[in-house]
C-alpha cells in the first residue's frame, strides 16, 4: 500500500519559489515583510478577529496573520484578566487562545499559533467583557490576593452551601477560558488504525533523517508531524545542510520520502499518547483548516498507530524566563520571533529587545536586522558575548547589556519599554522597545518518552531534562534527546532511524547521514528575576513565581503538590512552557537541586484532544452497534414501539389507533393471548448448538439438573449457577439428536454464557468431546401462545404433522414441515402459561413467518405482542427473569432448589451448599398483591412487617417485578422476601421512600394465574 | 496493548476479555468420593475466592472472544503490562486433552 | 386453506440502497456488495478427530482445509479458517439439503452447524477499500502481512466477524470479504458505509453463483 494521508506535506513548498511574484499586500497587514517567507501571496485570505476584518495569506496561521496585521493584544488571562498576546509560534502556546468559529461550531481555547488561516475565518478573543480593550473583570487584578495559590481551598470555605449558589458561579464568570458551543457538534469525527515498522514522531531535521534512513532501508515508515509542513525549525532558522540551503535540502528530502512507497507522511497529525505494546495515538486535524469540512469528510480523526519501533524526534520547546511583567503583549519567545519573520514574513516588532541567557537566542539578531527592523538591545546575564556572535555586535553596532530584564512597561497594546538591571552593580536603565524577544534555553520534549512512568534525567550542560529511559521499542533523537545542534540532529536522527529499521528486519541500506556544521550551544541557567510586579510562570493558569514560593511556605513542596495547589501546568497546554520553570523556582526556594526536586508524572494526552474525536463515529444512533431481530422491519411497519434490550431493539408493544396509553395497549395484547392467540419475536434469546459425543455429560456439568437423560425430541428447563453457587442464567435446552442439543439462554446473558460455556469446554473439561457454536442469529424464533395456538399451527403446518397433545406433548421438540415447503423447529414450551409453542425458521424467513402467522391466525384474531405483554404474562405465572436472577439469588431463593441434582458434580454445586446460601431466613421469591386493588405496586419498594417502623433493622426484602394484571384486574408483583414462602397470606407493609408511598399488601404464591398449569398442558 | 494469540497472531486488546489468575485449578469433586465435605468445601473456597495479588509475572486467562473464541493462558508482567508468553488452553482445539488439574 | 409464501429477506433489506453514495462527482473509490444466496456451514473437528476431518474435507472439496488463518478455494466452495481445528464452508446455496449432505460427509468426525442465515456476507473492494477498512478494522492489511487468501477472525464495532481477502485478488483489485452476524448487519452496514463515503461508494447486491 502506498503512503496515505489526506494532507499534502509539500503543498506549500512550491510557493517558496512562487512568492517572488508578489501580490499586493493589503494595507491592513502593516507588519507584513516584503521578503521571503513560506506563504502564498497569490492567495490573500480575509478573516475576522473580534469583528474586525483583516487579511492574511495562505500559509499563515491565525497568529502570524495577527502579527502581520500589527495585533498584539489577543486575549485576557484566566484569573486576573490581564491583557495577553502571542508568546510562541507553536503548539506549546499558553497565551494566544481564541474562540474559533461561531454557533454550533464554536470552539474555545484554540491556539492561534496552530490554527491555519482560511478565507472567512472567524475568531474572537475570550474571557473579556464587554470588549477586549475595556475588560471590566480586569478589576480582578485589584483583588489579586484572593486568587493566589490554593484560593479554591482558602477563600470559599464557609458556608458550604454558598459554594453552589454563589462562589462557584461567581468564580466561573470571573475566571475561565472561552465558552464552548451550546449546540450539538454538526461535524463528524472518526478513528482509524495504521500499522508500520518504524514510527517517526516529528519531521524536523532529526525526524526527516530518521525517516529517510528507515525508509531507504526498506522499513514501513510512518512520519507524523503536527505542523502543516514538514521541516520543523528548518522552516524558521534555515541553515546549511550538505552544502545546500536548508530549504533546498528540505525539498530534496521531501521528494525522496514521497518517492519511497513504504513511507507515509502524515502532517497536521499530533502524536498524543504512547500505550502498551507499541500502540500510539495521534490526532489528525483533517478539516480544521477550512470553515466547514467537505461533505463526507471528518473534522478530526484519531489514529491508533501500531509500530514495532518508534523514533521520537519531537524537538524541544524554548522556555520563558520568569520576570516581572513577562506576560505583557509583545513579550515573545525569541524562536517565535524568528518563526514569524522567517517563515511567515510577519514582523512582531520594529524595535526589538532580546533577552537571552544562551547562545541560541542570539540567532534572533540577524533575523531582525535582515528584516529591516532593529535590535535595540541584547540583554544577556552572562556578561559575555558568545564568540560565534561577536561579529554581529560589530556588524549591527549592537547595544549589549549584561544583566536582566526587571520590569516591563506598557499598556494593553503591549510593551513600550523595559527596565534592564545590571545584576552586578544594581544599576538600571530603561530601553524603549515594542517587542521583547526572550530565550531562557530549550527544554527537550521528553513527554512522550515518559508516558510509561519513565523519569527524565537532568543534563547540566544544557540546563534541561532529557529522556531517561524510554518505553520499550522507542528511541529518542535530536533536540528531543537534548542534542540541540543541527549537525547532531541530522546524525542522531539518521542513526536512530537506521537502527530501528534494522531491528525490524529491514535489509536495505540506510544511506549516509546528512551533514551540517557543528554549532556551539552554551547556556547559563536563569529561571527567575525577582522584582516587584507579577512574574508569570504559567501564563494560561495565571500562576506567578510568588504563588510557587507561597506554596513552598505553606508546605506544598512536592512537585505533585505544587501542581495541584497552584494549578501550575494543569491548563490545556499542560505546562509545556511552565513546568520546568515552576519546579526550578521551587528548587531554589527549598534549597534543593532541580533533579532532586524532580518532575511531575507525564501522562497523555500530549496535546488537547476533543471529546468528539475520542467518540469518533460512535455518537447518537451510532453510539454502539445495534442488533435487529428478523421481524424488525415488519414490526416497525405495524407501528411497534421498540425498546433497547442490551444491544437489541425489541418490539415493546404494538399501539393501535385510539389507545390512550401503553397500558391499554399491553392489556389488550395480554387479553388477546389469554383469550385467543398471539405471537412475539423471541429471536433475541441466546441459542447455542451443542454437539459432540459428550454433549449430554457437558450439559450435566454446567446445569444444576440433568440433560444426559433427556430423550431426543424433548425440551427441558435448565438453570446454571456460577461457581460461587449463585444463579447465573436459565433457559430451555432441547435434544434434537443423540449428539446434538440446542441450548437457549436469556437475551441479556447470551454473550457471557457463550464465553462461560467455552471456558468450561476448553479449560475445565477439555477431555469431553463437545463443540459449541452460537446459533442465535441463524434462527428467527417466535413464541405463539394462547388457547388457539394449535388451531393457528394447524393452518400453518403441513397436514401430515400431528400437533395433538399426544403427537406433540408438553415439552416436545422436533422439526415440522410447514405449508409452502419450509421446515421449522417447533418446541412446546410456555413462558406465558398458555398453550404455547416456540417456532423457529432460518432467519431469512423471519419476516415471512410474521406475515404467515398473521394469515394463519386471522380467524382467531391473532395479535402480535411485545416484550411488555410477555413480561406481564410471566409475572402472572410467577416465572423468574432478570430482576430475580439478579446475581444475589440461589436456586432455592427462586423456588427451584429441588432441581439441584445430588447425583453429579456441576458448576456451583459445592459452594451453593454454604451455610449463608442455605440459611432459612433468606429472601425468597413470593407474589405480592396490594390490599387496595386500585393501588399501583412499584418495583424497588421495600417490604417490612406490618406495624414495624421502616429502617434497616425491619427491612425484609423488596419488590422485584410489577405489572398490571389484566386477569386479576389489579397491580401485582414478585418480590424477594425473608422466609417468604412460609408467610403466604400475611399482610405486610410496602414502604417506598423514593416515591413517598406506604401501603399494605398480601404475600401470596408467585403463581397468580392458573396455578395448576392446566392451560399450558391442554 | 497488543496480545499475540497463538492462533491468530498479534491483535489489539479490545478483541480479548480478561478473566484472571490461571493458577487455581477447579477441584475434582467425586460425588461418591471419599473426601470429606469440609475438605471439598475448603478446596472450592480456595478455588473461587483466594487469589495472590502478584506484582510481576502472573499466569492469567484471556479469552479471544473478538477472534477465534479460544481461551488462552498468558504470562504477563502486571507491573509493565508486558506479555511474556501466550499459549492456548488445553481444550482450545480438537486435540485429545486430559482434564486440567489431573 | 390460506397460501403461505416464504419470501426471503436479507438483513440488509433496508440498509443497503443500491447505487452511488458519497464522494465527489462520479468517483467510486469503494465498491460494497452484499452477496446473497450463500450456504455457510461451520465445521469443528471432534475431539481427537482432526486428521479424519481433514481427510473428509479433502474428499468433499479436493483441498485440505486451512490450519492457519487462511481461506482456500476448493471444489464449489471456499474453506475459511475460523479457529483452531475449525473452518467455515462457503458455497452458493442450492436446492436440496446442502447441510444434510455435508453432515453426512463429516459424520462422526466433525460437528457441523448451519450458519447460512446466521451471517451476512459483505464484500469490499476498490482503491479506497483499505483506507476505509482502517476506520473499522484493527487488522494490518498491508500486502506483506495480509496477502491474497489471508483470513482473520476479528472484531468490528466490538462484534466478531470472519474476514478474509479473496484468494487470488491482488494489488488494487484486492477484494475483502466480511461475514458479519445477521442481527448486527444493518448496524454494521451503516458503520461501513459511513467509513467509505469520502471515497465514493457503489453499493450493490450480488447473488452467489
Amino acid at each position: 500500500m502506498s503512503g496515505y494521508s489526506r494532507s499534502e506535506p509539500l503543498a506549500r513548498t512550491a510557493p517558496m519559489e512562487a512568492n517572488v511574484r508578489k501580490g499586493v499586500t493589503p494595507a491592513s497587514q502593516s507588519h507584513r515583510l516584503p521578503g521571503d517567507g513560506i506563504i502564498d501571496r497569490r492567495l490573500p485570505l480575509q478573516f475576522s478577529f473580534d469583528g474586525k476584518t483583516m487579511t492574511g495569506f495562505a500559509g499563515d496561521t491565525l497568529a502570524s496573520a495577527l502579527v502581520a496585521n500589527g495585533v498584539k493584544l489577543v486575549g485576557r488571562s484566566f484569573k486576573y484578566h490581564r491583557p495577553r498576546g502571542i508568546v510562541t509560534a507553536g503548539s506549546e502556546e499558553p497565551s494566544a487562545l481564541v474562540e474559533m468559529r461561531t454557533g454550533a461550531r464554536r470552539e474555545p481555547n484554540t491556539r492561534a499559533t496552530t490554527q491555519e488561516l482560511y478565507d472567512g475565518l472567524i475568531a474572537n478573543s475570550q474571557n473579556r467583557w464587554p470588549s477586549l480593550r475595556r475588560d471590566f473583570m480586569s478589576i480582578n487584578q485589584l483583588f489579586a490576593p484572593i486568587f493566589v495559590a490554593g484560593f479554591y481551598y482558602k477563600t470559599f470555605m464557609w458556608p458550604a452551601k454558598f459554594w453552589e449558589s454563589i462562589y462557584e458561579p461567581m468564580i466561573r464568570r470571573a475566571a475561565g477560558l472561552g465558552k464552548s458551543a451550546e449546540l450539538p457538534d454538526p461535524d463528524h469525527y472518526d478513528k482509524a488504525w495504521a500499522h508500520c515498522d518504524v514510527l517517526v514522531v516529528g519531521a524536523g531535521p532529526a525526524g526527516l533523517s530518521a525517516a529517510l534512513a528507515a525508509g531507504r532501508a526498506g522499513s514501513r515508515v510512518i512520519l507524523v508531524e503536527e505542523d502543516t509542513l514538514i521541516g520543523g525549525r528548518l522552516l524558521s532558522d534555515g541553515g546549511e545542510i550538505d552544502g545546500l540551503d536548508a530549504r533546498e535540502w528540505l525539498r530534496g528530502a521531501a521528494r525522496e520520502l514521497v518517492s519511497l512507497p513504504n513511507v507515509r507522511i502524515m502532517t497536521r497529525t499530533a502524536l498524543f499518547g504512547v500505550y502498551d505494546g507499541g500502540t500510539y495515538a495521534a490526532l489528525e486535524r483533517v478539516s480544521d483548516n477550512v470553515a466547514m469540512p467537505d461533505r463526507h469528510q471528518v473534522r478530526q480523526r484519531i489514529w491508533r498507530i501500531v509500530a514495532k519501533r518508534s523514533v521520537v524526534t519531537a524537538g524541544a520547546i524554548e522556555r520563558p524566563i520568569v520576570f516581572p511583567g513577562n506576560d505583557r503583549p509583545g513579550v515573545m519567545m525569541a524562536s517565535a520571533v524568528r518563526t514569524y519573520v522567517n517563515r511567515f514574513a510577519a514582523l512582531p516588532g520594529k524595535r526589538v529587545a532580546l533577552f537571552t541567557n544562551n547562545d541560541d537566542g542570539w540567532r534572533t539578531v540577524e533575523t531582525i536586522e535582515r528584516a529591516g527592523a532593529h535590535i535595540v538591545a541584547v540583554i544577556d546575564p552572562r556578561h559575555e558575548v558568545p564568540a560565534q556572535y561577536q561579529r554581529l555586535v560589530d556588524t549591527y553596532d549592537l547595544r549589549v547589556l549584561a544583566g536582566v530584564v526587571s520590569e516591563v512597561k506598557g499598556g494593553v497594546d503591549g510593551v513600550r519599554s523595559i527596565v534592564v538591571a545590571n545584576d552586578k552593580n544594581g544599576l538600571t536603565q530603561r530601553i524603549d522597545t515594542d517587542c521583547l524577544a526572550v530565550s531562557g534555553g530549550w527544554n527537550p520534549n521528553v513527554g512522550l518518552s515518559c508516558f510509561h512512568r519513565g523519569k527524565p534525567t537532568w543534563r547540566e550542560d544544557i540546563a534541561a531534562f532529557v529522556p531517561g529511559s524510554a518505553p520499550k521499542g522507542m528511541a529518542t533523537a535530536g533536540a528531543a534527546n537534548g542534542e540541540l545542534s543541527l549537525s547532531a540532529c541530522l546524525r542522531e536522527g539518521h542513526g536512530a532511524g537506521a537502527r530501528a529499521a534494522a531491528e525490524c528486519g529491514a535489509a536495505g541500506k540506510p544511506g549516509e547521514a546528512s551533514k551540517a556544521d557543528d554549532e556551539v550551544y552554551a547556556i547559563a541557567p536563569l529561571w527567575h528575576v525577582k522584582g516587584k510586579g507579577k512574574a508569570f510562570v504559567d501564563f494560561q493558569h495565571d500562576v506567578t513565581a510568588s504563588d510557587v514560593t507561597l506554596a513552598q511556605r505553606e508546605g506544598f513542596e512536592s512537585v505533585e503538590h505544587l501542581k495541584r495547589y497552584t494549578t501550575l501546568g494543569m491548563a490545556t497546554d499542560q505546562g509545556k512552557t511552565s513546568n520546568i520553570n515552576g519546579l526550578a523556582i521551587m528548587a531554589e526556594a527549598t534549597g534543593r537541586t532541580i533533579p532532586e526536586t524532580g518532575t511531575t508524572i507525564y501522562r497523555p494526552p500530549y496535546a488537547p484532544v476533543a471529546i468528539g474525536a475520542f467518540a469518533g463515529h460512535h455518537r447518537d444512533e451510532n453510539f454502539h452497534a445495534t442488533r435487529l431481530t428478523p421481524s424488525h422491519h415488519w414490526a416497525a411497519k405495524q407501528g411497534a414501539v421498540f425498546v433497547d434490550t442490551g444491544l437489541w431493539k425489541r418490539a415493546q408493544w404494538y399501539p393501535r389507533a385510539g389507545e390512550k396509553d401503553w397500558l391499554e395497549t399491553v392489556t389488550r395484547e395480554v387479553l388477546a393471548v389469554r383469550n385467543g392467540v398471539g405471537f412475539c419475536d423471541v429471536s433475541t434469546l441466546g441459542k447455542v448448538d451443542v454437539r459432540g459425543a459428550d454433549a449430554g455429560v457437558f450439559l450435566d456439568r454446567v446445569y444444576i439438573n440433568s440433560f444426559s437423560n433427556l430423550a431426543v425430541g424433548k425440551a427441558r428447563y435448565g438453570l446454571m449457577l456460577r461457581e460461587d453457587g449463585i444463579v447465573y442464567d436459565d433457559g430451555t435446552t432441547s435434544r434434537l439428536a443423540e449428539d446434538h442439543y440446542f441450548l437457549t439462554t436469556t437475551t441479556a446473558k447470551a454473550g457471557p454464557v457463550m464465553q462461560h460455556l467455552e471456558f468450561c469446554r476448553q479449560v475445565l473439561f477439555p477431555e469431553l468431546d463437545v463443540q459449541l457454536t452460537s446459533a442465535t442469529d441463524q434462527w428467527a424464533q417466535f413464541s405463539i401462545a394462547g388457547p388457539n395456538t394449535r388451531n393457528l399451527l394447524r393452518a400453518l403446518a403441513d397436514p401430515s404433522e400431528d400437533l395433538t397433545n399426544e403427537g406433540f406433548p408438553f415439552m416436545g421438540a422436533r422439526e415440522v414441515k410447514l405449508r409452502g415447503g419450509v421446515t421449522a423447529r417447533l418446541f412446546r414450551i410456555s413462558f406465558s402459561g398458555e398453550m404455547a409453542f416456540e417456532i423457529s425458521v432460518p432467519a431469512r424467513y423471519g419476516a415471512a413467518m410474521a406475515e404467515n402467522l398473521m394469515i394463519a391466525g386471522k380467524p382467531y384474531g391473532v395479535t402480535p405482542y411485545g416484550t411488555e405483554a410477555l413480561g406481564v404474562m410471566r409475572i402472572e405465572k410467577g416465572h423468574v427473569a432478570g430482576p430475580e436472577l439478579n446475581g444475589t439469588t440461589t436456586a432455592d431463593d427462586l423456588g427451584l432448589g429441588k432441581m439441584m441434582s445430588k447425583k453429579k458434580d456441576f458448576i456451583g454445586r459445592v459452594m451453593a451448599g454454604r451455610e449463608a446460601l442455605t440459611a432459612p431466613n433468606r429472601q425468597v421469591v413470593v407474589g405480592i398483591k396490594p390490599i387496595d386493588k386500585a393501588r399501583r405496586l412499584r418495583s424497588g419498594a421495600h417490604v417490612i412487617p406490618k406495624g414495624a417502623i421502616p429502617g434497616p433493622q425491619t427491612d425484609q426484602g423488596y419488590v422485584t417485578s410489577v405489572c398490571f394484571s389484566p386477569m386479576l384486574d389489579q397491580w401485582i408483583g414478585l418480590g424477594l422476601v425473608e422466609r417468604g414462602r412460609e408467610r403466604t397470606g400475611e399482610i405486610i407493609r410496602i414502604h417506598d421512600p423514593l416515591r413517598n408511598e406506604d401501603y399494605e399488601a398480601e404475600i401470596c404464591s408467585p403463581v397468580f394465574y392458573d396455578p395448576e398449569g392446566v392451560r399450558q398442558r391442554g | 496493548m497488543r496480545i499475540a494469540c497463538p492462533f491468530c497472531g498479534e491483535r489489539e486488546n479490545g478483541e480479548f476479555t480478561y478473566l484472571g489468575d490461571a493458577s487455581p485449578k477447579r477441584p475434582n469433586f467425586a460425588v461418591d468420593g471419599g473426601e470429606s465435605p469440609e475438605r471439598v468445601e475448603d478446596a472450592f473456597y480456595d478455588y473461587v475466592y483466594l487469589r495472590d495479588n502478584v506484582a510481576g509475572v502472573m499466569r492469567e486467562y484471556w479469552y479471544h472472544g473478538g477472534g477465534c473464541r479460544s481461551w488462552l493462558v498468558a504470562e504477563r508482567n502486571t507491573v509493565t503490562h508486558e506479555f511474556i508468553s501466550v499459549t492456548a488452553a488445553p481444550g482450545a482445539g480438537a486435540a485429545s486433552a486430559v482434564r486440567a488439574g489431573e | 386453506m390460506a397460501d403461505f409464501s416464504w419470501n426471503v429477506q436479507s438483513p440488509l433489506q433496508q440498509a443497503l440502497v443500491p447505487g452511488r453514495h458519497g464522494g465527489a462527482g462520479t468517483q467510486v473509490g469503494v465498491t460494497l456488495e452484499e452477496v446473497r444466496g450463500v450456504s455457510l456451514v461451520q465445521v469443528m473437528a471432534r475431539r481427537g478427530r482432526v486428521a479424519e476431518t481433514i481427510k473428509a474435507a479433502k474428499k468433499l472439496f479436493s483441498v485440505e482445509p486451512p490450519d492457519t488463518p487462511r481461506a482456500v478455494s476448493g471444489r464449489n466452495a471456499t474453506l475459511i479458517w475460523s479457529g483452531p481445528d475449525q473452518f467455515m464452508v462457503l458455497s452458493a446455496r442450492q436446492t436440496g439439503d446442502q447441510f444434510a449432505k455435508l453432515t453426512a460427509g463429516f459424520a462422526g468426525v466433525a460437528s457441523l452447524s448451519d450458519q447460512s442465515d446466521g451471517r451476512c456476507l459483505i464484500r469490499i473492494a476498490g482503491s479506497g477499500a483499505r483506507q476505509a477498512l482502517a476506520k473499522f478494522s484493527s487488522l494490518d492489511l498491508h500486502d506483506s502481512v495480509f496477502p491474497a487468501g489471508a483470513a482473520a477472525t476479528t472484531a468490528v464495532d466490538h462484534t466478531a466477524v470472519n474476514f478474509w481477502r479473496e484468494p487470488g485478488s491482488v494489488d488494487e483489485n484486492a477484494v475483502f470479504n466480511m461475514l458479519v452476524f445477521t442481527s448486527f448487519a444493518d448496524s454494521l452496514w451503516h458503520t461501513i458505509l459511513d467509513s467509505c463515503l469520502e471515497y465514493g461508494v457503489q453499493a450493490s447486491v450480488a447473488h452467489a453463483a
Side-chain angles (χ1 to χ4, degrees), chain A residues 6-30:
Chain A
R6 265 190 43 82
S7 42
E8 297 152 34
L10 310 172
R12 295 250 159 66
T13 51
M16 280 198 254
E17 285 111 335
N19 64 23
V20 195
R21 297 187 299 268
K22 291 179 188 81
V24 179
T25 302
S28 82
Q29 298 184 41
S30 56

Side-chain angles (χ1 to χ4, degrees), chain C residues 5 18 38 47 57-58 65 78 98 124 135 155 159 163 168 174 177 183 208:
Chain C
S5 56
V38 298
R47 197 154 294 289
K58 199 161 180 199
T78 305
Q98 265 168 301
I124 305 172
K135 297 184 197 172
T159 306
F163 188 90
N177 299 281
S183 62

Side-chain angles (χ1 to χ4, degrees), chain A residues 53-75:
Chain A
T53 302
M54 304 180 196
T55 60
F57 292 116
D60 263 327
T61 61
L62 174 57
S64 71
L66 289 170
V67 169
N69 281 272
V71 175
K72 286 213 171 117
L73 173 65
V74 297

Side-chain angles (χ1 to χ4, degrees), chain A residues 758-773:
Chain A
E758 286 288 5
F759 184 77
C760 294
R761 182 183 89 87
Q762 298 180 35
V763 177
L764 297 183
F765 315 122
E767 74 281 10
L768 299 181
D769 176 32
V770 58
Q771 290 78 39
L772 306 169
T773 311

Side-chain angles (χ1 to χ4, degrees), chain A residues 177-382:
Chain A
L177 296 168
K179 275 163 67 186
S180 62
E182 282 151 14
L183 297 165
D185 190 337
D187 293 329
H188 298 276
Y189 299 80
D190 65 23
K191 289 180 273 191
W193 290 88
H195 306 261
C196 63
D197 295 322
V198 181
L199 169 68
V200 181
V201 185
L208 291 168
S209 298
L212 281 167
R216 286 172 189 153
S219 284
R220 291 168 66 196
V221 176
I222 292 178
L223 171 62
V224 296
E225 168 55 54
E226 64 175 337
D227 203 339
T228 52
L229 303 178
I230 58 171
R233 286 304 297 170
L234 293 179
L235 299 170
S236 301
D237 283 338
E240 199 181 277
I241 305 174
D242 291 343
L244 300 170
D245 173 77
R247 287 188 191 170
E248 187 60 39
W249 179 86
L250 183 55
R251 271 192 291 275
R255 267 196 301 272
E256 185 178 352
L257 286 172
V258 169
S259 76
L260 293 168
N262 49 324
V263 175
R264 175 173 176 176
I265 304 170
M266 299 171 72
T267 53
R268 296 190 176 101
T269 305
L271 200 92
F272 67 80
V274 180
Y275 303 94
D276 292 311
T279 308
Y280 301 80
L283 179 74
E284 182 185 11
R285 300 187 302 148
V286 182
S287 306
D288 280 352
N289 58 330
V290 288
M292 210 186 289
D294 290 346
R295 226 173 140 235
H296 311 303
Q297 191 47 274
V298 294
R299 174 169 294 286
Q300 297 173 345
R301 175 177 295 146
I302 283 184
W303 288 94
R304 283 170 286 185
I305 302 171
V306 181
K308 295 193 182 80
R309 291 287 183 278
S310 68
V311 179
V312 171
T313 47
I317 292 173
E318 196 171 25
R319 67 180 172 234
I321 297 171
V322 182
F323 56 89
N326 63 339
D327 66 327
R328 177 75 60 194
V331 178
M332 191 182 271
M333 301 314 304
S335 57
V337 170
R338 298 199 298 277
T339 297
Y340 288 118
V341 172
N342 292 328
R343 176 171 172 181
F344 297 108
L347 191 61
K350 290 173 180 164
R351 297 171 51 75
V352 179
L354 172 65
F355 180 20
T356 179
N357 66 344
N358 65 86
D359 294 5
D360 188 72
W362 280 80
R363 290 171 183 268
T364 317
V365 173
E366 205 146 31
T367 292
I368 290 297
E369 292 288 346
R370 283 191 180 170
H374 296 292
I375 292 286
V376 294
V378 179
I379 302 101
D380 193 326
R382 296 179 295 176

Side-chain angles (χ1 to χ4, degrees), chain A residues 646-717:
Chain A
L647 300 181
W648 290 98
K649 301 256 177 228
R650 297 191 75 180
Q652 196 171 12
W653 53 77
Y654 294 79
R656 281 189 189 161
E659 286 173 342
K660 68 175 190 299
D661 59 11
W662 66 272
L663 188 55
E664 188 178 340
T665 303
V666 171
T667 300
R668 168 182 53 76
E669 290 175 9
V670 171
L671 290 171
V673 173
R674 297 251 187 254
N675 297 323
V677 63
F679 68 90
C680 176
D681 191 331
V682 294
S683 307
T684 60
L685 295 176
K687 310 176 201 74
V688 186
D689 259 339
V690 183
R691 295 184 191 244
D694 299 323
V697 179
F698 177 78
L699 293 176
D700 285 348
R701 294 190 189 170
V702 297
Y703 279 122
I704 64 171
N705 46 335
S706 289
F707 280 84
S708 54
N709 60 3
L710 182 68
V712 172
K714 295 292 269 183
R716 182 172 286 167
Y717 174 77

Side-chain angles (χ1 to χ4, degrees), chain A residues 817-900:
Chain A
K817 284 201 198 71
L818 303 182
R819 291 175 202 266
V822 165
T823 301
R825 286 178 182 173
L826 198 58
F827 309 87
R828 191 163 162 205
I829 51 184
S830 178
F831 197 45
S832 57
E834 294 299 329
M835 161 71 201
F837 283 87
E838 284 187 14
I839 190 166
S840 49
V841 287
R844 82 189 89 139
Y845 299 122
M849 177 57 99
E851 275 162 17
N852 289 337
L853 288 171
M854 290 300 282
I855 295 169
K858 199 169 179 204
Y860 316 104
V862 67
T863 300
Y865 64 95
T867 55
E868 206 62 34
L870 187 81
V872 170
M873 290 188 276
R874 74 104 184 157
I875 294 170
E876 287 182 332
K877 278 296 290 180
H879 288 309
V880 291
E884 291 79 36
L885 275 63
N886 62 7
T888 68
T889 46
T890 65
D892 192 56
D893 296 344
L894 304 179
L896 304 169
K898 289 198 182 72
M899 280 172 63
M900 286 172 61

